[in-house]
């Protein structure tokens, strides 16, 4: 999320109320509320900042200034306070209202002092037409925050597990900003979360065609491929590619190694149940299944060893390697891994 940039917009709104005596009381309220909101935000007290920015927005709106900038600040504050419901409501309202955050700043230089000041548009137009005391009239337009609105709302909805709503807002955002990288990434997450795995896989492949160095997308593709026995070999390739590209992302590497191991082993609970079910009635077939199981564990061994080499203090890597050594009857290594497991458990206490 973008950091708030407060100042000129707030000063401009307050300035408009400071021109007439009958507005002094309102101006004082605006100033006081503005100060509380800004101070709270700068102190990272977002639970206070959010409602105060809404109060400021409502106060200005009641007096003829519907400046949704303050509503945007409120939404961001609520999001930073992890108040998903309020932030989702505000961001949704902002998007539906067509808010872009684009603001025009009007400045002019006072000839006597050389000081450049900002003015509301009416005052700026007036002095430009009637006064010779000013020069260097300029306008500057701020950047649109509309893409940020879609990105943030998408994240909020996904975090709130409102996956169908997230998918709808992401696709609406992509219709306006088809090259937005974050929305494309969130699109994949939303497709997966809503059970549309085929579309998610297509999405991942499209992204990898454009950026083949994205470790996360290779990992996610491997996860999908690992769920289908027909594409297990592809999954292993994808996980290895993710590890190769993960650089310093230790967590992604750990997850990829773990998936490599379990993809190679397959559904071991199912295999054990099948062996036990026929051990007495068909011992020859049971022996064949036992050997096939050993082969799968042997296939997984190199990945488990690489995982342990990469993360020697990861107890999950130690435990699975111990179990594989046990399956393959390597008692010396089982003893070594048991000692390592005990060491890590003692450190964790």
């Amino acid at each position: 999320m973008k950091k708030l940039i407060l100042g000129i917009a707030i000063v401009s709104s307050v300035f408009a109320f400071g021109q007439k005596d009958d507005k002094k009381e309102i101006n004082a309220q605006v100033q006081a509320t503005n100060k509380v909101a800004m101070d709270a935000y700068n102190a990272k007290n977002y639970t206070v900042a959010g409602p105060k920015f809404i109060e400021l927005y409502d106060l200005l709106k009641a007096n003829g200034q519907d400046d949704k900038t303050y509503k945007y600040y409120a939404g961001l504050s609520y999001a930073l306070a992890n108040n998903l419901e309020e932030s989702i409501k505000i961001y949704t309202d902002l998007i539906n209202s067509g808010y872009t955050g684009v603001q025009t700043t009007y400045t002019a230089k006072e000839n006597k002092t050389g000081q450049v000041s900002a003015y509301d548009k009416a005052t700026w137009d007036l002095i430009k037409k009637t006064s010779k005391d000013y020069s260097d009239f300029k306008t500057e337009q701020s950047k649109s925050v509309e893409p940020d609105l879609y990105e943030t709302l998408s994240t909020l909805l996904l975090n709130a597990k409102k996956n169908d709503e997230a998918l709808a807002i992401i696709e609406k955002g992509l219709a306006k900003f088809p090259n937005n990288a974050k929305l494309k990434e969130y699109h994949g997450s939303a497709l997966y979360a809503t059970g549309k795995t085929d579309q998610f896989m297509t999405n991942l492949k499209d992204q990898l065609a454009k950026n083949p160095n994205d470790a996360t997308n290779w990992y996610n593709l491997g996860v999908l491929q690992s769920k289908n026995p027909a594409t297990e070999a592809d999954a292993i390739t994808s996980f290895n590619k993710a590890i190769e590209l993960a650089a310093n992302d230790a967590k992604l590497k750990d997850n990829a190694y773990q998936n490599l191991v379990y993809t190679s082993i397959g559904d071991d609970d199912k295999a054990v149940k099948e062996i036990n079910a026929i051990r007495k009635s068909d011992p020859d077939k049971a022996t064949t299944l036992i050997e096939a199981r050993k082969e799968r564990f042997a296939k997984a061994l190199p990945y488990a060893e690489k995982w342990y080499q990469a993360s020697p203090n990861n107890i999950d890597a130690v435990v699975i390697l111990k179990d594989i050594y046990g399956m393959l009857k390597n008692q010396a290594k089982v003893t070594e891994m048991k000692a390592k497991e005990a060491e890590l458990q003692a450190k964790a206490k």
Side-chain angles (χ1 to χ4, degrees), residues 10 12-14 39-40 52 55 62 96 155 162 177 182 201 205 222 256 277 326 328:
I10 289 175
S12 296
S13 293
V14 174
D39 287 350
K52 279 297 175 182
E55 184 181 331
N96 289 340
T155 303
K162 297 184 177 184
F177 309 104
K182 286 186 178 180
M201 184 174 288
K205 289 179 177 179
L328 300 177

Side-chain angles (χ1 to χ4, degrees), residues 282-298:
D282 193 344
D284 290 339
K285 185 175 180 181
T287 299
T288 300
L289 292 176
I290 290 169
E291 291 303 316
R293 182 173 179 241
K294 286 181 180 178
E295 287 179 13
R296 291 194 296 273
F297 272 76

Side-chain angles (χ1 to χ4, degrees), residues 184-185 188 202-212 217:
K184 287 181 180 180
E185 177 186 338
T202 300
N203 175 278
L204 287 172
K205 289 179 177 179
D206 287 345
Q207 290 190 53
L208 285 169
K210 296 172 184 175
N211 179 15
N217 281 340

Side-chain angles (χ1 to χ4, degrees), residues 4 46 49-55 57 68-80 86-87 90-91 94:
L4 284 177
Y46 304 120
K52 279 297 175 182
F53 277 126
I54 286 292
E55 184 181 331
Y57 167 73
K68 290 184 173 60
T69 301
Y70 304 104
K71 201 170 188 179
Y72 170 62
Y73 294 159
L76 183 51
S77 296
Y78 277 122
L80 291 169
E86 284 299 323
S87 54
I90 291 172
Y91 274 87
L94 288 170

Side-chain angles (χ1 to χ4, degrees), residues 148-306:
D148 176 69
L149 295 178
Y150 280 98
E151 292 169 12
T152 305
L153 180 56
S154 300
T155 303
L156 293 168
L157 289 167
L158 288 170
N159 288 345
K161 307 299 182 186
K162 297 184 177 184
N163 300 318
D164 290 325
E165 292 177 45
L167 182 58
I169 203 68
I170 290 165
E171 291 183 341
K172 182 178 177 180
L174 284 172
K176 297 196 76 171
F177 309 104
N179 297 317
N180 186 292
K182 286 186 178 180
L183 288 178
K184 287 181 180 180
E185 177 186 338
Y186 300 156
H187 191 216
S189 300
L191 287 170
Y192 183 72
T194 52
K196 299 177 181 178
T197 53
D198 289 343
Q199 290 182 49
F200 182 34
M201 184 174 288
T202 300
N203 175 278
L204 287 172
K205 289 179 177 179
D206 287 345
Q207 290 190 53
L208 285 169
K210 296 172 184 175
N211 179 15
N213 296 319
D214 190 317
T216 301
N217 281 340
W218 279 113
Y219 171 78
N220 287 333
L221 182 60
V223 170
L224 291 183
Q225 292 168 330
S226 69
K227 296 180 182 300
N228 184 351
T231 56
E232 283 182 5
D234 294 328
I236 288 172
T237 298
S238 296
F239 288 134
N240 276 317
K241 193 70 177 175
I243 291 167
E244 175 189 335
L245 296 169
N248 297 321
D249 192 339
K251 184 176 180 180
L252 181 60
K253 281 186 175 181
D254 279 345
N255 289 340
Y257 274 124
Q258 187 172 35
N259 276 280
L260 273 173
V261 172
Y262 285 112
T263 299
S264 300
I265 292 173
D267 190 343
D268 196 50
D269 287 341
K270 180 180 177 182
V272 170
K273 287 178 183 177
E274 190 176 358
I275 291 167
N276 290 336
I278 64 169
R279 191 184 294 272
K280 292 182 179 179
S281 60
D282 193 344
D284 290 339
K285 185 175 180 181
T287 299
T288 300
L289 292 176
I290 290 169
E291 291 303 316
R293 182 173 179 241
K294 286 181 180 178
E295 287 179 13
R296 291 194 296 273
F297 272 76
K299 181 182 176 183
L301 178 60
Y303 302 128
E305 289 178 331
K306 287 180 181 178

Side-chain angles (χ1 to χ4, degrees), residues 17 33 40 64 103 137 155 179 226 249 264 279 304 320 334 338:
F17 285 128
T33 306
Q103 290 187 330
F137 292 89
T155 303
N179 297 317
S226 69
D249 192 339
S264 300
R279 191 184 294 272
I320 189 61
V334 170
K338 280 184 176 180

